Amino acid sequence: MTIAITGAAGQVSTLIRPLLRVPDRVLRLSDISVVSDLAAGEEFVQASVTDLDAMTSFFEGADLVVHLGGHKSERPWRDILETNINGSHVVLEAARRAGVQRVLLGSSIHAVGFVRAADAAAAPVLPPRPDTYYGVGKVAMEALGSLYADRFGMSVVSARICTVGADIGTGGRTLSTWVSPGDLARLVEATAALDHPGHHIVWGVSANTRTWFSPEAGLAIGFKAHDNAEHHITPTTDVQPPNPTDLLAGAFTGDPTRPLGGTW
């Protein structure tokens, strides 16, 4: 099996690559930044997600595309439009041209950042309520994923990834939103085995005791999270539960130091 990963120099890819290295698998990596720490079974192509010809060539022969490329936080609208929205279109169109039937899109909690934490589990899939231009970019990514799944019979998973980390950091709201590298890798494996065409929006979050999210959509595609933030509590962890009336995006929805369209 060959898995093609965009944004391979970023945090998520760096955390999950060691967990995806198995015999008889090729991890084909791409980014505008060079990935130099290649292991056995990995190969790298330097390219931008906005380059249709480069992406089409990069995806040739792949069994799964994992799209993690693009800006990782808020940026001016023109940057989100060109790299995150247009880049998502390029990736999906390139996957279609290359004959790849399975695509995992790295969406974000910021696609629904204005939902209250207490309401997050009201439905397996929440309608969009983006908190930033970055969040709007993720909503557009999901919409494009839906279009390509329905129009071309592809299996597309949009993962609303929450708080990524090798550990839970200082705790607090992370006790509800943490997703471990192991569970992200399990989500990739579930998508690689998915034999059901269509668009599937799932939460990219671990099985945290204090989770705000329903696991139902993930379970429907074979993704079962195993890890739990509670198992990583230390004496310095802030274990105060977040206020359920808080918005999912927390400070990203109103912090004046993080203006809409700013560079964070």
Side-chain angles (χ1 to χ4, degrees), residues 58-103:
F58 176 62
F59 294 153
E60 288 287 348
D63 301 285
L64 169 67
V65 167
V66 179
H67 177 40
L68 302 173
H71 295 297
K72 64 180 182 179
S73 60
E74 182 71 332
R75 289 291 187 277
W77 173 249
R78 64 182 179 275
D79 297 343
I80 296 296
L81 180 63
E82 174 58 20
T83 303
N84 290 26
I85 297 177
N86 181 51
S88 295
H89 171 255
V90 166
V91 164
L92 285 159
E93 175 61 16
R96 181 193 73 80
R97 293 187 183 190
V100 182
Q101 287 297 300
R102 296 177 180 87
V103 178

Side-chain angles (χ1 to χ4, degrees), residues 6 30 47-49 51-60 90-91 94:
T6 68
S30 179
S48 169
V49 295
D51 186 331
L52 180 58
D53 290 339
M55 286 293 102
T56 302
S57 175
F58 176 62
F59 294 153
E60 288 287 348
V90 166
V91 164

Side-chain angles (χ1 to χ4, degrees), residues 159-174:
R160 288 175 174 171
I161 298 173
C162 297
T163 307
V164 182
D167 55 45
I168 64 170
T170 58
R173 63 185 282 114
T174 308

Side-chain angles (χ1 to χ4, degrees), residues 69-263:
H71 295 297
K72 64 180 182 179
S73 60
E74 182 71 332
R75 289 291 187 277
W77 173 249
R78 64 182 179 275
D79 297 343
I80 296 296
L81 180 63
E82 174 58 20
T83 303
N84 290 26
I85 297 177
N86 181 51
S88 295
H89 171 255
V90 166
V91 164
L92 285 159
E93 175 61 16
R96 181 193 73 80
R97 293 187 183 190
V100 182
Q101 287 297 300
R102 296 177 180 87
V103 178
L104 174 59
L105 300 174
S107 186
S108 169
I109 191 174
H110 293 288
V112 288
F114 270 106
V115 174
R116 292 193 316 152
D119 299 330
V125 178
L126 299 171
R129 290 192 66 183
D131 52 60
T132 48
Y133 291 152
Y134 173 78
V136 170
K138 296 302 185 180
V139 173
M141 170 191 283
E142 293 177 0
L144 286 163
S146 179
L147 170 64
Y148 272 76
D150 288 340
R151 186 84 181 220
F152 302 111
M154 298 166 67
S155 297
V156 180
V157 174
S158 292
R160 288 175 174 171
I161 298 173
C162 297
T163 307
V164 182
D167 55 45
I168 64 170
T170 58
R173 63 185 282 114
T174 308
L175 293 170
S176 299
T177 62
W178 180 62
V179 56
S180 70
D183 283 329
L184 286 174
R186 291 181 189 98
L187 180 52
V188 173
E189 299 288 4
T191 306
L194 187 60
D195 231 357
H196 183 61
H199 182 229
H200 314 273
I201 298 176
V202 305
W203 285 110
V205 69
S206 286
N208 304 318
T209 299
R210 307 178 203 224
T211 189
W212 292 330
F213 313 103
S214 167
E216 186 176 335
L219 292 171
I221 66 161
F223 167 53
K224 183 176 182 180
H226 290 185
D227 297 323
N228 188 336
E230 302 294 319
H231 300 161
H232 297 263
I233 289 175
T234 69
T236 60
T237 300
D238 175 10
V239 295
Q240 296 299 316
N243 189 331
T245 62
D246 286 350
L247 299 176
L248 288 181
F252 288 85
T253 57
D255 186 342
T257 67
R258 293 173 169 173
L260 185 65
T263 301

Side-chain angles (χ1 to χ4, degrees), residues 35-57:
V35 176
S36 57
D37 60 336
L38 298 179
E42 293 184 328
E43 53 192 44
F44 175 74
V45 174
Q46 189 172 21
S48 169
V49 295
T50 61
D51 186 331
L52 180 58
D53 290 339
M55 286 293 102
T56 302
S57 175

